[in-house]
CSV table of all heavy atoms in Angstrom, one decimal:
chain,number,residue,atom,x,y,z
A,1476,THR,N,64.9,53.1,90.4
A,1476,THR,CA,66.3,53.1,89.9
A,1476,THR,C,67.2,52.0,90.5
A,1476,THR,O,68.3,51.8,90.1
A,1476,THR,CB,67.0,54.5,90.3
A,1476,THR,OG1,66.9,54.7,91.7
A,1476,THR,CG2,66.3,55.6,89.5
A,1522,GLU,N,54.7,61.4,93.7
A,1522,GLU,CA,54.5,62.3,92.6
A,1522,GLU,C,53.8,61.6,91.5
A,1522,GLU,O,54.3,60.7,90.9
A,1522,GLU,CB,55.9,62.9,92.1
A,1522,GLU,CG,56.6,63.8,93.1
A,1522,GLU,CD,56.0,65.1,93.2
A,1522,GLU,OE1,55.4,65.6,92.2
A,1522,GLU,OE2,56.1,65.7,94.3
A,1525,PHE,N,55.8,61.6,88.0
A,1525,PHE,CA,57.1,61.0,87.8
A,1525,PHE,C,57.0,59.5,87.6
A,1525,PHE,O,56.2,58.8,88.2
A,1525,PHE,CB,58.0,61.2,89.0
A,1525,PHE,CG,59.4,60.8,88.8
A,1525,PHE,CD1,60.3,61.6,88.2
A,1525,PHE,CD2,59.8,59.5,89.2
A,1525,PHE,CE1,61.6,61.2,88.0
A,1525,PHE,CE2,61.1,59.1,89.0
A,1525,PHE,CZ,62.0,59.9,88.4
A,1539,ASN,N,62.8,58.3,102.6
A,1539,ASN,CA,61.4,58.7,102.4
A,1539,ASN,C,60.5,57.5,102.6
A,1539,ASN,O,59.4,57.6,103.2
A,1539,ASN,CB,61.2,59.2,101.0
A,1539,ASN,CG,61.9,60.5,100.8
A,1539,ASN,OD1,61.8,61.4,101.6
A,1539,ASN,ND2,62.8,60.6,99.8
A,1599,ASN,N,71.1,61.9,91.2
A,1599,ASN,CA,72.2,62.0,92.1
A,1599,ASN,C,72.3,60.8,93.0
A,1599,ASN,O,71.4,60.3,93.5
A,1599,ASN,CB,71.9,63.2,93.0
A,1599,ASN,CG,72.4,64.5,92.4
A,1599,ASN,OD1,73.2,64.5,91.5
A,1599,ASN,ND2,71.7,65.6,92.7
A,1832,ASN,N,112.4,85.1,92.1
A,1832,ASN,CA,113.2,86.3,91.5
A,1832,ASN,C,113.1,87.5,92.5
A,1832,ASN,O,114.1,88.2,92.7
A,1832,ASN,CB,112.6,86.7,90.2
A,1832,ASN,CG,112.8,85.6,89.1
A,1832,ASN,OD1,113.5,84.6,89.4
A,1832,ASN,ND2,112.3,85.8,88.0
A,1836,LYS,N,116.0,89.4,94.3
A,1836,LYS,CA,116.2,90.8,94.2
A,1836,LYS,C,116.4,91.5,95.6
A,1836,LYS,O,117.3,92.3,95.8
A,1836,LYS,CB,114.9,91.4,93.6
A,1836,LYS,CG,114.9,92.9,93.3
A,1836,LYS,CD,115.7,93.1,92.0
A,1836,LYS,CE,115.7,94.5,91.7
A,1836,LYS,NZ,116.7,94.8,90.5
A,1839,ASN,N,119.9,90.7,96.7
A,1839,ASN,CA,121.0,91.5,96.1
A,1839,ASN,C,120.9,93.0,96.6
A,1839,ASN,O,121.9,93.7,96.7
A,1839,ASN,CB,120.9,91.4,94.6
A,1839,ASN,CG,121.6,90.2,94.2
A,1839,ASN,OD1,122.8,90.1,94.2
A,1839,ASN,ND2,120.8,89.2,93.7
A,1899,TRP,N,110.7,96.3,95.3
A,1899,TRP,CA,111.2,96.2,94.0
A,1899,TRP,C,111.2,97.5,93.2
A,1899,TRP,O,112.2,98.0,92.7
A,1899,TRP,CB,110.4,95.1,93.2
A,1899,TRP,CG,111.1,94.5,92.1
A,1899,TRP,CD1,112.1,95.0,91.3
A,1899,TRP,CD2,111.0,93.1,91.7
A,1899,TRP,NE1,112.5,94.1,90.4
A,1899,TRP,CE2,111.9,92.9,90.6
A,1899,TRP,CE3,110.3,92.0,92.1
A,1899,TRP,CZ2,112.1,91.7,89.9
A,1899,TRP,CZ3,110.4,90.8,91.4
A,1899,TRP,CH2,111.3,90.6,90.4
A,2108,PHE,N,78.3,118.2,88.4
A,2108,PHE,CA,79.6,117.7,88.9
A,2108,PHE,C,80.2,118.6,90.0
A,2108,PHE,O,80.5,118.2,91.1
A,2108,PHE,CB,80.6,117.5,87.8
A,2108,PHE,CG,81.9,117.0,88.3
A,2108,PHE,CD1,82.1,115.8,88.8
A,2108,PHE,CD2,83.0,117.9,88.2
A,2108,PHE,CE1,83.4,115.4,89.2
A,2108,PHE,CE2,84.3,117.5,88.6
A,2108,PHE,CZ,84.4,116.3,89.2
A,2111,LYS,N,77.9,118.6,93.2
A,2111,LYS,CA,77.6,117.3,93.9
A,2111,LYS,C,78.9,116.5,94.3
A,2111,LYS,O,78.9,115.8,95.2
A,2111,LYS,CB,76.7,116.5,93.2
A,2111,LYS,CG,75.3,117.1,93.1
A,2111,LYS,CD,74.3,116.2,92.5
A,2111,LYS,CE,72.9,116.9,92.3
A,2111,LYS,NZ,72.0,116.0,91.6
A,2113,PRO,N,82.5,115.6,95.7
A,2113,PRO,CA,83.3,116.1,96.8
A,2113,PRO,C,84.3,117.1,96.4
A,2113,PRO,O,84.9,117.0,95.3
A,2113,PRO,CB,83.9,114.8,97.4
A,2113,PRO,CG,83.6,113.7,96.5
A,2113,PRO,CD,82.6,114.1,95.5
B,128,C,P,92.8,82.0,87.3
B,128,C,OP1,92.4,81.0,88.3
B,128,C,OP2,91.8,82.4,86.2
B,128,C,O5',93.4,83.3,88.0
B,128,C,C5',92.6,84.3,88.5
B,128,C,C4',93.6,85.3,89.0
B,128,C,O4',94.3,85.9,88.0
B,128,C,C3',92.9,86.5,89.7
B,128,C,O3',92.5,86.2,91.0
B,128,C,C2',94.0,87.6,89.6
B,128,C,O2',95.0,87.4,90.6
B,128,C,C1',94.7,87.2,88.2
B,128,C,N1,94.2,88.1,87.1
B,128,C,C2,94.6,89.4,87.1
B,128,C,O2,95.4,89.8,87.9
B,128,C,N3,94.2,90.2,86.0
B,128,C,C4,93.4,89.7,85.2
B,128,C,N4,93.0,90.5,84.2
B,128,C,C5,92.9,88.4,85.2
B,128,C,C6,93.3,87.6,86.2
B,134,G,P,86.1,104.9,92.9
B,134,G,OP1,86.8,103.8,92.1
B,134,G,OP2,86.5,105.1,94.3
B,134,G,O5',86.3,106.2,92.0
B,134,G,C5',86.1,106.2,90.6
B,134,G,C4',86.5,107.5,90.0
B,134,G,O4',85.6,108.6,90.3
B,134,G,C3',87.9,108.0,90.6
B,134,G,O3',88.5,108.7,89.6
B,134,G,C2',87.4,109.0,91.7
B,134,G,O2',88.4,110.0,91.9
B,134,G,C1',86.2,109.6,91.0
B,134,G,N9,85.2,110.1,91.9
B,134,G,C8,85.1,109.9,93.3
B,134,G,N7,84.0,110.5,93.8
B,134,G,C5,83.5,111.2,92.7
B,134,G,C6,82.3,112.1,92.7
B,134,G,O6,81.6,112.4,93.6
B,134,G,N1,82.1,112.5,91.4
B,134,G,C2,82.9,112.3,90.3
B,134,G,N2,82.5,112.8,89.1
B,134,G,N3,83.9,111.5,90.3
B,134,G,C4,84.2,111.0,91.6
B,150,A,P,127.2,97.9,92.2
B,150,A,OP1,126.3,98.7,91.4
B,150,A,OP2,127.9,98.5,93.3
B,150,A,O5',126.3,96.7,92.9
B,150,A,C5',126.9,95.7,93.7
B,150,A,C4',125.9,94.6,94.0
B,150,A,O4',124.8,95.2,94.7
B,150,A,C3',125.3,94.0,92.7
B,150,A,O3',126.1,93.0,92.2
B,150,A,C2',124.0,93.5,93.2
B,150,A,O2',124.1,92.3,93.9
B,150,A,C1',123.6,94.6,94.2
B,150,A,N9,122.8,95.7,93.5
B,150,A,C8,123.2,96.8,92.9
B,150,A,N7,122.3,97.6,92.5
B,150,A,C5,121.1,96.9,92.8
B,150,A,C6,119.8,97.2,92.6
B,150,A,N6,119.3,98.3,92.0
B,150,A,N1,118.8,96.3,93.1
B,150,A,C2,119.3,95.2,93.7
B,150,A,N3,120.5,94.8,93.9
B,150,A,C4,121.4,95.7,93.5
B,151,C,P,126.1,92.6,90.6
B,151,C,OP1,127.2,91.6,90.4
B,151,C,OP2,126.1,93.9,89.9
B,151,C,O5',124.7,91.9,90.4
B,151,C,C5',124.5,90.6,91.0
B,151,C,C4',123.0,90.3,90.9
B,151,C,O4',122.3,91.4,91.5
B,151,C,C3',122.4,90.2,89.5
B,151,C,O3',122.6,89.0,88.9
B,151,C,C2',121.0,90.5,89.8
B,151,C,O2',120.3,89.3,90.2
B,151,C,C1',121.0,91.5,90.9
B,151,C,N1,120.9,92.9,90.5
B,151,C,C2,119.6,93.5,90.4
B,151,C,O2,118.7,92.7,90.8
B,151,C,N3,119.4,94.7,90.0
B,151,C,C4,120.5,95.5,89.7
B,151,C,N4,120.3,96.7,89.3
B,151,C,C5,121.8,94.9,89.7
B,151,C,C6,122.0,93.7,90.1
B,153,C,P,119.1,84.5,85.0
B,153,C,OP1,120.3,84.1,85.7
B,153,C,OP2,118.7,83.7,83.9
B,153,C,O5',118.0,84.8,86.0
B,153,C,C5',116.6,84.9,85.6
B,153,C,C4',115.9,85.5,86.8
B,153,C,O4',115.8,84.5,87.9
B,153,C,C3',116.6,86.7,87.3
B,153,C,O3',115.9,87.9,87.3
B,153,C,C2',117.3,86.3,88.7
B,153,C,O2',117.1,87.2,89.7
B,153,C,C1',116.4,85.0,89.0
B,153,C,N1,117.3,83.9,89.6
B,153,C,C2,117.1,83.5,90.9
B,153,C,O2,116.2,84.1,91.6
B,153,C,N3,117.8,82.5,91.4
B,153,C,C4,118.8,81.9,90.6
B,153,C,N4,119.5,80.9,91.2
B,153,C,C5,119.0,82.3,89.3
B,153,C,C6,118.2,83.3,88.8
B,154,G,P,114.7,88.6,87.3
B,154,G,OP1,113.9,88.4,88.5
B,154,G,OP2,114.2,88.5,85.9
B,154,G,O5',115.3,90.1,87.4
B,154,G,C5',116.2,90.4,88.4
B,154,G,C4',117.3,91.4,87.9
B,154,G,O4',118.1,90.8,87.0
B,154,G,C3',116.8,92.6,87.2
B,154,G,O3',116.2,93.6,88.0
B,154,G,C2',118.0,93.1,86.5
B,154,G,O2',118.9,93.7,87.4
B,154,G,C1',118.6,91.8,86.1
B,154,G,N9,118.3,91.4,84.7
B,154,G,C8,117.6,90.3,84.3
B,154,G,N7,117.4,90.3,83.0
B,154,G,C5,118.1,91.4,82.5
B,154,G,C6,118.3,91.9,81.2
B,154,G,O6,117.9,91.5,80.1
B,154,G,N1,119.1,93.1,81.2
B,154,G,C2,119.6,93.7,82.3
B,154,G,N2,120.2,94.8,82.1
B,154,G,N3,119.4,93.3,83.6
B,154,G,C4,118.7,92.1,83.6
B,155,C,P,114.9,94.4,87.6
B,155,C,OP1,114.4,95.1,88.7
B,155,C,OP2,114.0,93.6,86.7
B,155,C,O5',115.6,95.5,86.6
B,155,C,C5',116.6,96.3,87.2
B,155,C,C4',117.1,97.2,86.1
B,155,C,O4',117.9,96.5,85.2
B,155,C,C3',116.1,97.9,85.3
B,155,C,O3',115.5,99.1,85.9
B,155,C,C2',116.9,98.3,84.0
B,155,C,O2',117.7,99.4,84.3
B,155,C,C1',117.7,97.0,83.9
B,155,C,N1,117.1,96.1,83.0
B,155,C,C2,117.3,96.3,81.6
B,155,C,O2,117.9,97.3,81.2
B,155,C,N3,116.7,95.4,80.7
B,155,C,C4,116.0,94.4,81.2
B,155,C,N4,115.5,93.5,80.2
B,155,C,C5,115.9,94.1,82.6
B,155,C,C6,116.4,95.0,83.4
B,171,C,P,72.6,113.3,89.8
B,171,C,OP1,72.6,114.4,90.8
B,171,C,OP2,71.4,112.9,89.0
B,171,C,O5',73.8,113.5,88.8
B,171,C,C5',73.7,114.4,87.8
B,171,C,C4',75.1,114.6,87.2
B,171,C,O4',76.0,115.3,88.1
B,171,C,C3',75.9,113.3,86.9
B,171,C,O3',75.5,112.8,85.6
B,171,C,C2',77.3,113.8,86.9
B,171,C,O2',77.7,114.5,85.7
B,171,C,C1',77.3,114.8,88.0
B,171,C,N1,77.7,114.2,89.3
B,171,C,C2,79.0,113.9,89.6
B,171,C,O2,79.9,114.1,88.7
B,171,C,N3,79.4,113.4,90.8
B,171,C,C4,78.4,113.2,91.7
B,171,C,N4,78.8,112.7,92.9
B,171,C,C5,77.1,113.5,91.5
B,171,C,C6,76.7,114.1,90.3
B,188,A,P,71.7,68.8,102.0
B,188,A,OP1,71.4,68.3,103.4
B,188,A,OP2,72.7,68.0,101.2
B,188,A,O5',70.4,68.8,101.2
B,188,A,C5',69.2,69.3,101.8
B,188,A,C4',68.1,69.3,100.8
B,188,A,O4',68.4,70.2,99.7
B,188,A,C3',67.7,68.0,100.2
B,188,A,O3',66.9,67.2,101.0
B,188,A,C2',67.0,68.5,98.9
B,188,A,O2',65.7,69.0,99.2
B,188,A,C1',67.8,69.7,98.5
B,188,A,N9,68.8,69.4,97.6
B,188,A,C8,70.2,69.1,97.8
B,188,A,N7,70.9,68.8,96.7
B,188,A,C5,69.9,68.8,95.7
B,188,A,C6,69.9,68.6,94.3
B,188,A,N6,71.1,68.3,93.7
B,188,A,N1,68.8,68.7,93.6
B,188,A,C2,67.7,69.0,94.3
B,188,A,N3,67.5,69.3,95.6
B,188,A,C4,68.7,69.2,96.2
B,189,C,P,67.3,65.7,101.1
B,189,C,OP1,66.9,65.2,102.4
B,189,C,OP2,68.7,65.5,100.7
B,189,C,O5',66.4,64.9,100.0
B,189,C,C5',65.2,65.5,99.5
B,189,C,C4',65.0,65.1,98.0
B,189,C,O4',66.1,65.7,97.3
B,189,C,C3',65.1,63.6,97.8
B,189,C,O3',64.2,63.3,96.8
B,189,C,C2',66.5,63.4,97.3
B,189,C,O2',66.6,62.3,96.5
B,189,C,C1',66.7,64.7,96.5
B,189,C,N1,68.1,65.0,96.2
B,189,C,C2,68.5,65.2,94.9
B,189,C,O2,67.6,65.2,94.0
B,189,C,N3,69.8,65.4,94.6
B,189,C,C4,70.7,65.4,95.6
B,189,C,N4,71.9,65.6,95.3
B,189,C,C5,70.3,65.1,96.9
B,189,C,C6,69.0,64.9,97.2
B,190,C,P,62.7,62.9,97.2
B,190,C,OP1,61.9,64.1,97.8
B,190,C,OP2,62.8,61.7,98.0
B,190,C,O5',62.1,62.6,95.8
B,190,C,C5',61.8,61.3,95.5
B,190,C,C4',61.9,61.2,94.0
B,190,C,O4',61.0,62.1,93.4
B,190,C,C3',63.3,61.5,93.4
B,190,C,O3',63.4,60.6,92.3
B,190,C,C2',63.1,62.9,92.8
B,190,C,O2',63.9,63.2,91.7
B,190,C,C1',61.6,62.8,92.3
B,190,C,N1,60.9,64.1,92.1
B,190,C,C2,60.5,64.3,90.8
B,190,C,O2,60.7,63.5,89.9
B,190,C,N3,59.9,65.5,90.5
B,190,C,C4,59.7,66.4,91.5
B,190,C,N4,59.1,67.5,91.2
B,190,C,C5,60.2,66.1,92.8
B,190,C,C6,60.8,65.0,93.1
B,191,A,P,64.7,60.0,91.8
B,191,A,OP1,66.1,60.3,92.2
B,191,A,OP2,64.3,60.1,90.4
B,191,A,O5',64.5,58.5,92.3
B,191,A,C5',64.3,58.2,93.5
B,191,A,C4',63.5,57.0,93.8
B,191,A,O4',62.2,57.3,94.0
B,191,A,C3',63.6,55.9,92.8
B,191,A,O3',64.6,54.9,93.2
B,191,A,C2',62.2,55.3,92.7
B,191,A,O2',62.2,54.1,93.2
B,191,A,C1',61.4,56.3,93.5
B,191,A,N9,60.2,56.8,92.7
B,191,A,C8,59.8,56.4,91.5
B,191,A,N7,58.7,57.0,91.1
B,191,A,C5,58.4,57.9,92.1
B,191,A,C6,57.4,58.8,92.3
B,191,A,N6,56.5,59.0,91.4
B,191,A,N1,57.4,59.6,93.4
B,191,A,C2,58.4,59.4,94.2
B,191,A,N3,59.4,58.5,94.2
B,191,A,C4,59.4,57.8,93.1
Side-chain angles (χ1 to χ4, degrees):
Chain A
T1476 54
E1522 289 287 330
F1525 187 86
N1539 292 308
N1599 276 334
N1832 293 354
K1836 187 76 180 171
N1839 277 290
W1899 206 325
F2108 174 70
K2111 292 186 184 173

